[in-house]
Amino acid sequence: MKRFLSDALEEYEERDFKDLDLSHRSMTSNRFYECDFHNCNLSEANLKDCRFVECRFSVCNLSLVKFREDCSFVDTVFESSKMVGIDWTAVSWPAVKLASPIQFRECDISMSLFTGLSLKEIAITKCRARDVDFEEADLTQADFAGTDLLKSRFIHTNLTEANFTHADSYSIDITVNRTKNARFSLPEAISLLYLLDIDIVEEF
């Protein structure tokens, strides 16, 4: 069932929003608590000072959404959603660096920015995450299992205890990133050797 969503200064609790077209729309100072968004289009929407607490987005389009001035998330999950080209550095993240307040499952988050963010324990599982910038981010204990990371950038990134099992197409220089106790699976893990100053000899 479709439900009206105000442009500003409203609070919603335990509401289901389905099949809404919010593309190119501006919303200011809305608060969402334990709300579900299903099959909603927020592409190129402008969100200012909006807060999402324990919300879930499933089968939504949030591509090129702009988070402006004090937008924040707490325990919010994105599932099977298209989220291309989002600048996550514009979000207001908590000062206390605990577990990541967002998680992605089977989403397309390509061409997005996480530069310099502290998102410990973030889950980006079974996602398409091509050309994503993770430079100087703290992704301690992050879960990238099953994710396509083609052309994504890991530079001075903290990947301590991160999980890359069954992830593919990643290029991670272990000399400039922190990878202590990170987990990788074969054959993809062979790519870690290609950036080292060594010769790999194949014998038959």
Side-chain angles (χ1 to χ4, degrees):
M1 181 178 65
K2 295 183 180 180
R3 294 190 176 183
F4 177 73
L5 187 59
S6 173
D7 287 337
L9 301 173
E10 291 287 346
E11 289 194 3
Y12 303 91
E13 187 171 353
E14 298 183 351
R15 295 280 297 272
D16 292 333
F17 300 102
K18 298 181 180 180
D19 305 318
L20 293 180
D21 186 357
L22 307 173
S23 58
H24 298 90
R25 185 162 159 181
S26 295
M27 292 187 292
T28 303
S29 300
N30 284 332
R31 301 289 184 263
F32 301 92
Y33 302 95
E34 299 182 62
C35 292
D36 283 350
F37 295 81
H38 180 76
N39 196 36
C40 294
N41 183 5
L42 289 85
S43 60
E44 299 189 60
N46 288 277
L47 306 184
K48 178 181 177 182
D49 188 31
C50 291
R51 183 171 175 81
F52 299 87
V53 179
E54 296 184 26
C55 292
R56 183 170 68 97
F57 291 79
S58 60
V59 199
C60 292
N61 184 359
L62 293 92
S63 293
L64 298 176
V65 66
K66 293 181 176 62
F67 297 116
R68 303 181 184 277
E69 295 184 31
D70 298 326
C71 282
S72 62
F73 295 87
V74 177
D75 295 335
T76 294
V77 176
F78 301 92
E79 299 176 327
S80 303
S81 294
K82 186 176 181 180
M83 312 183 67
V84 174
I86 296 177
D87 182 1
W88 291 97
T89 67
V91 171
S92 180
W93 301 104
V96 179
K97 310 300 183 184
L98 300 175
S100 172
I102 55 173
Q103 308 291 335
F104 303 98
R105 302 167 184 165
E106 299 183 338
C107 294
D108 187 350
I109 64 168
S110 298
M111 295 182 286
S112 295
L113 298 177
F114 295 88
T115 314
L117 297 181
S118 179
L119 294 172
K120 296 180 179 180
E121 300 180 28
I122 189 173
I124 305 177
T125 55
K126 297 183 178 179
C127 290
R128 181 183 175 95
R130 295 186 170 189
D131 199 18
V132 176
D133 195 339
F134 295 108
E135 184 173 351
E136 297 187 345
D138 185 354
L139 305 178
T140 301
Q141 296 183 329
D143 188 358
F144 289 98
T147 289
D148 176 3
L149 292 159
L150 182 67
K151 295 184 179 179
S152 286
R153 289 174 294 286
F154 297 91
I155 303 173
H156 302 299
T157 307
N158 189 348
L159 299 170
T160 302
E161 298 183 14
N163 177 24
F164 286 90
T165 57
H166 305 296
D168 59 53
S169 303
Y170 49 78
S171 179
I172 299 173
D173 187 341
I174 60 177
T175 67
V176 298
N177 294 286
R178 298 175 63 181
T179 57
K180 183 177 181 180
N181 294 329
R183 290 179 290 163
F184 301 89
S185 56
L186 294 171
E188 291 82 5
I190 297 298
S191 67
L192 300 174
L193 300 178
Y194 294 147
L195 296 175
L196 300 178
D197 188 18
I198 60 176
D199 294 325
I200 301 175
V201 179
E202 295 185 10
E203 295 186 357
F204 299 94

